[in-house]
Amino acid sequence: MLTIGKLGRAAGVKIPTIRYYEQIGLLPEAERSAGNQRLYSRKALDRLTFIRHARGLGFTLEAIRDLLSLSDTPDQPCAAADAIAKAQLSEIEKRLTRLASLKVELKRMVAQCAGGRIADCRVIEVLGDHSLCATDHDHPQGGDSQ
Amino acid sequence: MLTIGKLGRAAGVKIPTIRYYEQIGLLPEAERSAGNQRLYSRKALDRLTFIRHARGLGFTLEAIRDLLSLSDTPDQPCAAADAIAKAQLSEIEKRLTRLASLKVELKRMVAQCAGGRIADCRVIEVLGDHSLCATDHDHPQGGDSQ
DNA sequence: TCTTGAAGCTACAGTAGCTAGAGACATTAG
DNA sequence: CTAATGTCTCTAGCTACTGTAGCTTCAAGA
């Protein structure tokens, strides 16, 4: 049985994050010692490692919740897990495309800045006037992660 | 003078977002009509357009705040604006690199899934065991935007 | 002039995914 | 036994908004 600090070190997850995961039901409530401290089994470590790894790949906690509940039913077909992973992949591809075009735009902007006075600064100018810019990065919504 | 709805449409920014920007001091407090409704000048539209455009390029509100205060002093050298833009560029390049490696990893994972049962699912398996994975996407911090 | 529907107002709560801090209790090494 | 470290709960904060409730104001048509 591990205390929370050891579990955290073993899985590479910070202590408050573990407690947070428990709070939102991603980890089951931990057993407690006589003095009310959380105690974790090897199984809990596996689960937390799974979560950390999936987070590292950019899966949302909701997606991870689904993957975890799938992994609890090993006889089911794995189409659902596959679908979640594919969705995540296409999400990442979308972000990549968008970031690539932002990069081009920024590079252009920075390259044009001659280092003079603000009044002549292309950075400021381009930001102030959309018509000076090539791309139309016009979808101001959308939250990323990682 | 524009009301908030027209300003929003003109700049491509939602009404609550405009009020939010005012609340956090990114936009100055608007003039008010006799009936207490916000009224905006052409200058306010320019400022909001600037903000929207910069947000579209992924600048944080803090960076935008700095850029705006720079643009209010047109005789200063523009090195500071240049630095902000360059920092943003390198931030985006970092994210691009990271996303690209996540994509590779996810693709590999998805490709290996034969579509059988969960018990044999590579997606679940890879997520559960970091040693099965090539890259070390091990920096679980970092907030993206756009 | 009256009415009606759209647009605007304030204030507060909620989102994701944590992180940080206060103040008290538990455990362990020496 | 003491001191140091670890853990506990609880609350608030972060970014950049978005959504809701319950109201008031405005502009256009009858």
Side-chain angles (χ1 to χ4, degrees):
Chain A
M1 285 297 185
L2 306 166
T3 51
I4 198 169
K6 277 159 197 159
L7 177 75
R9 270 188 297 281
V13 175
K14 286 177 190 156
I15 292 170
T17 304
I18 297 171
R19 291 198 276 245
Y20 170 71
Y21 287 163
E22 178 182 312
Q23 188 189 307
I24 63 169
L26 205 59
L27 291 176
E29 292 198 12
E31 289 177 60
R32 298 295 182 123
S33 73
N36 199 37
Q37 302 197 344
R38 288 174 181 81
L39 294 175
Y40 295 93
S41 64
R42 171 66 215 237
K43 231 182 94 181
L45 174 57
D46 288 346
R47 194 176 175 94
L48 185 55
T49 303
F50 182 102
I51 295 171
R52 207 218 59 157
H53 196 180
R55 282 294 297 142
L57 285 167
F59 287 90
T60 65
L61 293 182
E62 262 324 292
I64 293 170
R65 203 188 287 277
D66 292 345
L67 287 169
L68 280 168
S69 81
L70 287 170
S71 80
D72 289 339
T73 57
D75 289 330
Q76 299 286 309
C78 77
D82 196 42
I84 292 171
K86 277 181 178 153
Q88 175 63 11
L89 179 56
S90 92
E91 187 54 41
I92 281 185
E93 279 171 344
K94 248 190 284 176
R95 276 189 227 159
L96 263 174
T97 308
R98 173 158 166 76
L99 277 180
S101 73
L102 293 192
K103 177 182 156 177
V104 168
E105 175 88 12
L106 273 169
K107 265 205 148 147
R108 223 165 49 95
M109 206 166 88
V110 167
Q112 286 178 344
C113 176
R117 287 169 313 122
I118 290 280
D120 313 313
C121 181
R122 295 293 294 177
V123 170
I124 299 283
E125 189 181 349
V126 171
L127 288 174
D129 185 353
H130 200 159
S131 72
L132 296 174
C133 116
T135 37
D136 65 306
H137 38 72
D138 283 332
H139 300 285
Q141 24 62 302
D144 272 21
S145 55
Q146 309 294 313
Chain B
M1 286 299 188
L2 305 166
T3 51
I4 199 170
K6 276 157 199 160
L7 177 75
R9 269 187 299 281
V13 175
K14 285 177 191 157
I15 292 170
T17 304
I18 297 171
R19 291 199 275 244
Y20 170 71
Y21 287 162
E22 178 182 313
Q23 189 190 307
I24 64 169
L26 206 57
L27 290 176
E29 292 198 11
E31 289 178 60
R32 298 295 182 123
S33 74
N36 199 37
Q37 303 195 346
R38 288 174 180 82
L39 294 176
Y40 295 94
S41 63
R42 172 66 217 240
K43 234 182 91 182
L45 174 57
D46 288 347
R47 195 176 175 93
L48 185 54
T49 303
F50 183 102
I51 295 171
R52 206 219 58 160
H53 197 179
R55 282 295 296 141
L57 285 167
F59 287 89
T60 65
L61 293 184
E62 263 323 293
I64 293 170
R65 203 187 288 276
D66 293 345
L67 287 169
L68 280 169
S69 80
L70 286 171
S71 79
D72 289 340
T73 57
D75 288 329
Q76 299 286 308
C78 77
D82 197 43
I84 293 171
K86 277 181 178 152
Q88 174 64 11
L89 178 57
S90 93
E91 186 54 41
I92 282 186
E93 279 171 344
K94 246 190 285 174
R95 275 188 227 159
L96 262 174
T97 308
R98 172 158 167 78
L99 276 181
S101 73
L102 294 191
K103 176 181 156 177
V104 168
E105 175 90 10
L106 272 170
K107 264 204 148 149
R108 224 165 50 93
M109 206 167 88
V110 167
Q112 286 177 343
C113 175
R117 287 170 312 122
I118 291 278
D120 312 313
C121 182
R122 296 292 294 177
V123 170
I124 298 284
E125 189 181 346
V126 171
L127 288 174
D129 186 352
H130 200 160
S131 72
L132 297 174
C133 118
T135 37
D136 66 304
H137 37 73
D138 281 335
H139 301 284
Q141 26 59 303
D144 271 20
S145 56
Q146 308 298 313

